Amino acid sequence: MDPRSEVLLRQAELFGGELLLAGLPADDLLGALPQARGWNWHAGDHAVLAARFAGRNHFDTRMPEGDYRAAVLFLPKSRELTDYLLQALASRLAGKPLYLVGEKRGGIERAAKQLAAYGKPRKLDSARHCQLWCVEVEQAPPVPDLHALAQSYPLQLADGALEIVTLPGVFAHGRLDRGSALLLEHLDDLPSGHLLDFGCGAGVLGAALKRRYPDNELSLLDVDAFALESSRLTLARNGLSANLIAGTGIESAPEGLSAIVSNPPFHQGVHTDYQASENLLSQAARHLLKGGELRLVANSFLKYPPLIERHLGPCRTLADADGFRIYSARR
């Protein structure tokens, strides 16, 4: 079981009545707390929980309806996302307890200070490098408007300008990251057909692809509900359309793709995790048509070419700059 869940269970007697667990990891906590419901924005965790605890976990960017006696937030990585989630929870908990649990290395002591907007924070427990904090919501704030928290920035491309919209918690919130900037310079000559932006984030690559290849079908896939909502906003802001897929990895992608384009993620919360990227490299051929192409950007230190060649075919390096490389391989 996740160590944060174990810390919660040490204080299980606190949780009577209907309890909302926000950011719930994919473990046994719902089984241990039968009165609890989950709220999740990670498609992988949601899939596991939905299969094991049918109807008890909600996948969305917005808090599920319910008359909750209390709520627990599992601390996310982003401070901006934490602000939004705490306000969303506190808005429905006037006079009730709001709990925050997280790892020390994840910044739980700093984040606990954010509870002070709603009352006087108290530390209840500390174990396994995790802490549990609580605040009684003395004055409930208004329900936050997620879209009002969006940031946007212009992106100048050779074929015209795009406006990118990002929400709290989304990778490179409010700015263009260096890897995507390099990949945007190397999107020429992709095969015609169904394109996939894997790990789409705010939809930077997806919007650029749809602008450049307007007659191609386009899908955008991400594990994070906030990323998918950002992509939807980016596409709408630029008058573009595409399929949005909430998926756990490349196994959630359609088959018969002509190209997969990606700046693949390698972080899960505060932890480094290469599984999604390595699965992409090993499974891409199953989703590509014959002659279909995988094109991605990666940090130069990552040894991706041998994996690409083992599972797909000869790997070309299209660019090498600013600590990143663009790789291409065809099935």
Side-chain angles (χ1 to χ4, degrees), residues 201-323:
V204 174
L205 297 174
L209 288 169
K210 193 62 179 179
R211 172 70 62 81
R212 183 168 298 194
Y213 302 96
D215 296 329
N216 285 35
E217 183 179 0
L218 174 67
S219 293
L220 282 69
L221 187 154
D222 205 285
V223 73
D224 183 75
F226 288 92
L228 291 167
E229 181 65 6
S230 294
S231 287
R232 189 188 68 79
L233 293 172
T234 293
L235 291 167
R237 185 72 59 89
N238 294 281
L240 304 170
S241 62
N243 311 311
L244 297 176
I245 303 171
T248 56
I250 190 60
E251 60 271 18
S252 302
E255 296 182 354
L257 297 170
S258 62
I260 301 170
V261 179
S262 183
N263 180 0
F266 58 89
H267 285 97
Q268 173 62 34
V270 298
H271 304 283
T272 300
D273 185 355
Y274 297 101
Q275 182 175 352
S277 298
E278 293 178 358
N279 283 349
L280 169 64
L281 304 184
S282 63
Q283 304 297 325
R286 298 185 179 184
H287 298 269
L288 289 167
L289 295 169
K290 186 67 175 177
E293 181 179 354
L294 171 66
R295 191 176 300 188
L296 60 85
V297 61
N299 294 81
S300 300
F301 65 83
L302 296 173
K303 307 301 182 184
Y304 282 172
L307 279 172
I308 293 172
E309 296 196 339
R310 183 185 314 156
H311 296 288
L312 195 59
C315 177
R316 296 184 299 148
T317 300
L318 303 183
D320 187 347
D322 299 323

Side-chain angles (χ1 to χ4, degrees), residues 13-251:
E13 69 278 1
L14 296 173
F15 309 127
E18 189 166 11
L19 173 70
L20 182 65
L21 302 169
L24 179 65
D27 63 16
D28 296 326
L29 192 57
L30 284 179
L33 297 173
Q35 76 277 24
R37 293 179 59 199
W39 171 27
N40 208 287
W41 40 93
H42 184 283
D45 289 344
H46 172 67
V48 173
L49 293 167
R52 297 183 59 194
F53 306 102
R56 292 181 60 197
N57 194 68
H58 180 74
F59 177 76
D60 204 343
T61 59
R62 291 172 175 81
M63 180 177 173
E65 295 296 326
D67 183 18
Y68 303 106
R69 179 195 174 278
V72 179
L73 175 62
F74 287 77
L75 179 66
K77 180 179 179 181
S78 163
R79 178 167 186 154
E80 294 87 354
L81 181 57
T82 301
D83 278 335
Y84 165 72
L85 295 168
L86 287 176
Q87 184 176 343
L89 295 167
S91 70
R92 303 263 291 280
L93 292 172
K96 300 175 183 178
L98 170 56
Y99 300 91
L100 180 66
V101 64
E103 298 177 82
K104 292 181 181 178
R105 66 177 288 188
I108 181 62
E109 292 177 336
R110 167 195 55 76
K113 297 177 182 178
Q114 294 171 259
L115 293 174
Y118 312 110
K120 185 177 180 179
R122 297 177 293 122
K123 185 166 73 170
L124 301 180
D125 204 349
S126 180
R128 299 214 37 204
H129 306 291
C130 298
Q131 295 179 3
L132 175 64
W133 289 74
C134 177
V135 65
E136 296 288 333
V137 179
E138 297 174 355
Q139 184 173 357
V143 176
D145 179 357
L146 178 60
H147 289 180
L149 301 176
Q151 296 183 14
S152 62
Y153 61 89
L155 184 59
Q156 299 296 330
L157 300 175
D159 57 350
L162 289 172
E163 188 169 1
I164 307 302
V165 183
T166 68
L167 292 170
V170 177
F171 175 65
H173 179 38
R175 62 182 176 84
L176 179 65
D177 66 283
R178 290 185 298 158
S180 293
L182 183 62
L183 186 51
L184 284 168
E185 298 174 1
H186 297 84
L187 296 180
D188 295 330
D189 303 320
L190 288 172
S192 179
H194 191 171
L195 309 178
L196 174 69
D197 176 4
F198 176 79
C200 59
V204 174
L205 297 174
L209 288 169
K210 193 62 179 179
R211 172 70 62 81
R212 183 168 298 194
Y213 302 96
D215 296 329
N216 285 35
E217 183 179 0
L218 174 67
S219 293
L220 282 69
L221 187 154
D222 205 285
V223 73
D224 183 75
F226 288 92
L228 291 167
E229 181 65 6
S230 294
S231 287
R232 189 188 68 79
L233 293 172
T234 293
L235 291 167
R237 185 72 59 89
N238 294 281
L240 304 170
S241 62
N243 311 311
L244 297 176
I245 303 171
T248 56
I250 190 60
E251 60 271 18

